Amino acid sequence: GGTYSWTSGGGTGATCVASPTVTTTYTCTYTNPTGCTDTAVAQIIVDPIPTVSVPPNASYCVGATVPAATLTPTPAAATVAWTNSNPAIGLAASGTGTSVPSFTSLASGTAVITVTPTGAAPTNCLGTPSSYTITITPLPHLTVTSPTICAAGTATITASNGTSYTWSAGATSTGGNGASATATPASQTSYTVT
């Protein structure tokens, strides 16, 4: 019929129930009916919930080499697993480790890479997943008009199927995105648009 006394808010009974947010030491003192005491110490170790930093969203053309992406867990001892929502782009469906490997993009589409950190043993605390997006866009296929004009005349040449255009020397861009250009060649001339 003795009494128990806990430090650090552990209560007064024989059992200490606590939910510390950081590693905390609890000291229990037992006093028996004759006044004799004994003390014991318990420590509750609180492992942090791991987090992971992922790269920003990125876009690449079909056929391009997508560089490896670094995944940075905190704490550093945490392990990392990732999944890919769209393996058709050329990246495996899943993997582990602190990087997503480089790959050659095979098909257009969007893939969400979801990265989940897990803390070290013995708790193996599961962290909140983070994600980033890889977008693979199709290669552009430009079409260009090839007008016929009279000598000393001015031709308007037009490109389509792109979003912005750069013309070779001798052609002057017109319009907002450069899809059209004018030229006044002295003879039959070829112009290149990119």
Side-chain angles (χ1 to χ4, degrees):
T3 61
Y4 299 86
S5 174
W6 294 86
T7 61
S8 303
T12 58
T15 301
C16 170
V17 178
S19 299
T21 57
V22 296
T23 298
T24 304
T25 298
Y26 296 87
T27 300
C28 179
T29 300
Y30 172 74
T31 305
N32 69 14
T34 60
C36 298
T37 62
D38 190 21
T39 299
V41 175
Q43 184 181 58
I44 298 177
I45 298 173
V46 179
D47 283 342
I49 300 298
T51 60
V52 63
S53 297
V54 299
N57 299 338
S59 296
Y60 304 89
C61 293
V62 169
T65 298
V66 179
T70 299
L71 312 174
T72 307
T74 302
T79 59
V80 176
W82 55 267
T83 59
N84 167 22
S85 69
N86 184 7
I89 66 169
L91 176 66
S94 62
T96 58
T98 55
S99 69
V100 175
S102 174
F103 66 97
T104 299
S105 57
L106 301 179
S108 60
T110 298
V112 177
I113 312 304
T114 301
V115 184
T116 304
T118 301
T123 56
N124 299 315
C125 298
L126 191 64
T128 301
S130 297
S131 63
Y132 68 101
T133 300
I134 298 174
T135 302
I136 307 299
T137 58
L139 292 172
H141 297 285
L142 294 180
T143 57
V144 183
T145 59
S146 296
T148 300
I149 61 172
C150 296
T154 297
T156 298
I157 45 182
T158 304
S160 58
N161 297 330
T163 55
S164 63
Y165 306 84
T166 302
W167 294 88
S168 61
T172 303
S173 293
T174 60
N177 65 352
S180 295
T182 58
T184 308
S187 60
Q188 182 173 324
T189 304
S190 295
Y191 299 94
T192 302
V193 62
T194 303

